[in-house]
Amino acid sequence: MAYTLTVNGRATTVDVAADMPLLWVLRDTLNMKGTKFGCGIGQCGACTVHVAGKPVRSCQTPMSTANNAAVTTIEGLSADGSHPLQRAWQELDVPQCGYCQAGQIMSAAALLATIAKPSDADIDRAMNGNLCRCATYLRIRQAIHRAAAMPRTPQQVRAANQQ
């Protein structure tokens, strides 16, 4: 069946089964490899993307529920890596293996879109369920605080307001 969605600001149509997970539509149909497969049961958070501005586990989101939705992936956070979270992640050397980091950043972006200056408790609540086998949780929290303190460009403010 044909489904329409807007991925990272670009409208697209895909012809896939209604129950195909959004993760596989992104990776296999649209060839966007930034979103990772982790556990396949929505428990690890590696596959987190935004659908209509909300963080979702794309491995558990059937295409039928994403029809006509705006989807943002790690590739769409910023074209040049200038999003405050991406910069903070680099400055603090957050990732070790890096596998979970796209999902971590997408969950953090959803948090910062709703709470500009989150507390540690806000961060812990928002990031709960995003697992990191390398246990870089303290650096992740530091990077979120650093990103929250960075100035945003007008484009980033508009993008956050659209979510």
Side-chain angles (χ1 to χ4, degrees):
M1 182 167 184
Y3 293 97
T4 302
L5 62 160
T6 302
V7 180
N8 301 329
R10 300 186 77 176
T12 189
T13 301
V14 294
D15 189 9
V16 298
D19 63 347
M20 181 180 226
L22 179 58
L23 171 67
W24 300 121
V25 171
L26 295 169
R27 289 185 59 81
D28 294 347
T29 306
L30 299 176
N31 200 32
M32 300 179 75
K33 305 299 186 190
T35 304
K36 303 297 184 201
F37 173 79
C39 65
I41 59 172
Q43 297 295 306
C44 73
C47 68
T48 301
V49 298
H50 298 175
V51 174
K54 304 290 182 212
V56 301
R57 304 301 201 244
S58 63
C59 73
Q60 294 294 297
T61 304
M63 189 55 227
S64 60
T65 65
N67 190 33
N68 296 315
V71 177
T72 305
T73 69
I74 189 71
E75 293 95 340
L77 207 52
S78 75
D80 60 0
S82 64
H83 187 281
L85 284 164
Q86 293 167 316
R87 291 182 9 233
W89 245 248
Q90 290 176 348
E91 290 172 11
L92 294 174
D93 235 358
V94 172
Q96 285 184 17
C97 81
Y99 197 83
C100 70
Q101 297 306 307
Q104 299 277 3
I105 290 172
M106 294 307 291
S107 289
L111 168 64
L112 292 181
T114 58
I115 303 174
K117 302 288 184 194
S119 67
D120 284 350
D122 294 328
I123 293 170
D124 292 347
R125 204 171 16 262
M127 302 304 290
N128 185 32
N130 282 81
L131 303 179
C132 176
R133 289 182 180 175
C134 302
T136 64
Y137 299 112
L138 294 178
R139 285 185 286 186
I140 289 168
R141 183 187 291 153
Q142 290 171 330
I144 294 169
H145 282 302
R146 180 168 292 185
M150 289 180 183
R152 303 207 188 297
T153 67
Q155 179 185 9
Q156 291 164 342
V157 171
R158 277 192 304 277
N161 290 336
Q162 291 174 349
Q163 294 186 7

